[in-house]
Structure formats: C-alpha cells, structure tokens
Amino acid sequence: MHGSTFEFVSPGGQTNIFYSIDQRRKIADLSGPSVVAPDRTISIGDYAGKVVLLNLWGAWCGPCRTETHVLREISTAGKREGLEVLGIDVRDNRQYAADFIRDFQVDYESIFDPSGRIALQLRGLPLAAVPISLIVDKRQRVAAVYIGAVLQEDVRPKLEQVRAEP
C-alpha cells in the first residue's frame, strides 16, 4: 500500500491478505449507477460507519455464481449485525446482471460498472481474477482482500473482528 488511499499489492502471490489497523488505507470513493435501478447512484460512502463486504463480480463468472449464496447469507444476517454487502458488477451486460440478481435472489445493492473504470479505482487489484472481495471497516479503510470465491469460514471471522473494532 502506498500513499493515503488503498492500493493492492499481493505479497508473495497471496490470495487472502489481512491488514492491521495501522496498515489500512482509505478506499477510493467508489460510486455508480445501480444494476437494477439505473437512475439511482450507489456509493461506498453511503455505508460509512458500517463494515462492508465489497464484492467484485460478473454474471459471466462461474465462481461468482458459486459464492452468491454465501454473500446472500452474510447480507441477510449482517443487516441485524451492522454488516453490509455491496457488489460491483464489472464488464457485464446490464440485463444479464439484473437477471442474475433476480435469479439468485441477491438482496444487496450492486454498482453497475460495465467498463471496469469504477473498479480500476481499486489500484493494483487483478480484475481478471474476479470474484474479489474486500472487507471495508467502519472508517472506510480496507481491512482484508480475498481473491477468488469466498466461503463463510473464510470471511466470517475477519468480518466479526472488524465489526468489533471501535
């Protein structure tokens, strides 16, 4: 990580990276249109004060389909626990993405990013490796990065740890 905002660097090719509080950097101000409601703008800033599991996905992505039930479970439980899930749909067709959200009963918001420009603000992330998930703390700093599909046992302990922070 360099500078004052988050920039991903994979030490030794790791796919699960955790940052201590003093290592964390603020996430870029990601915002864009909703996948299902194009007239509505969604921003990571809307979630300030909450722990967010930010997930980069695409309807074209097999592993994204696999992890959707995990993200939905985290989202459903999280609403009671002060956790949120936010998606960024990258390099996709809006209709396919909206169908994916309906078919998989996704209950959290997703920003539509067909060009990948919004996701590129997360400098250094290997966007070819979608899905990618980030845990963003209450102060909008990146606490963890997971490259590849996640399981409950992968992210739940870290989400709980970050949620318990002041």
Side-chain angles (χ1 to χ4, degrees):
M1 293 185 307
H2 308 290
S4 62
T5 57
F6 174 76
E7 181 175 346
F8 179 75
V9 177
S10 178
Q14 294 177 42
T15 57
N16 294 348
I17 296 104
F18 309 105
Y19 302 102
S20 63
I21 291 174
D22 62 320
Q23 292 177 314
R24 295 179 194 170
R25 298 290 178 263
K26 188 160 175 53
I27 195 163
D29 184 22
L30 308 170
S31 64
S34 166
V35 169
V36 296
D39 295 338
R40 189 172 74 242
T41 298
I42 301 167
S43 170
I44 187 73
D46 298 340
Y47 297 85
K50 296 181 179 181
V51 175
V52 177
L53 182 60
L54 179 67
N55 178 257
L56 282 71
W57 65 278
W60 46 267
C61 163
C64 299
R65 293 173 178 271
T66 302
E67 76 175 355
T68 298
H69 73 281
V70 171
L71 299 174
R72 195 177 57 234
E73 289 171 7
I74 291 170
S75 173
T76 300
K79 291 181 188 338
R80 298 184 303 271
E81 302 169 356
L83 303 171
E84 296 284 344
V85 176
L86 174 63
I88 299 180
D89 173 39
V90 295
R91 300 187 321 262
D92 218 341
N93 169 292
R94 184 183 298 276
Q95 188 58 55
Y96 295 155
D99 289 348
F100 179 97
I101 287 170
R102 185 188 65 249
D103 293 348
F104 284 85
Q105 301 173 354
V106 173
D107 67 346
Y108 50 87
E109 292 282 358
S110 278
I111 296 170
F112 184 57
D113 185 19
S115 67
R117 287 190 178 132
I118 296 166
L120 281 175
Q121 293 177 58
L122 298 167
R123 294 178 309 209
L125 279 180
L127 297 182
V130 169
I132 300 172
S133 295
L134 295 86
I135 295 177
V136 180
D137 71 14
K138 297 171 194 167
R139 295 175 53 197
Q140 301 268 282
R141 300 171 305 174
V142 177
V145 176
Y146 301 86
I147 299 174
V150 296
L151 300 171
Q152 284 273 4
E153 55 267 23
D154 294 334
V155 297
R156 187 49 97 162
K158 192 65 173 179
L159 282 168
E160 293 302 324
Q161 176 189 336
V162 172
R163 185 174 67 92
E165 296 170 355

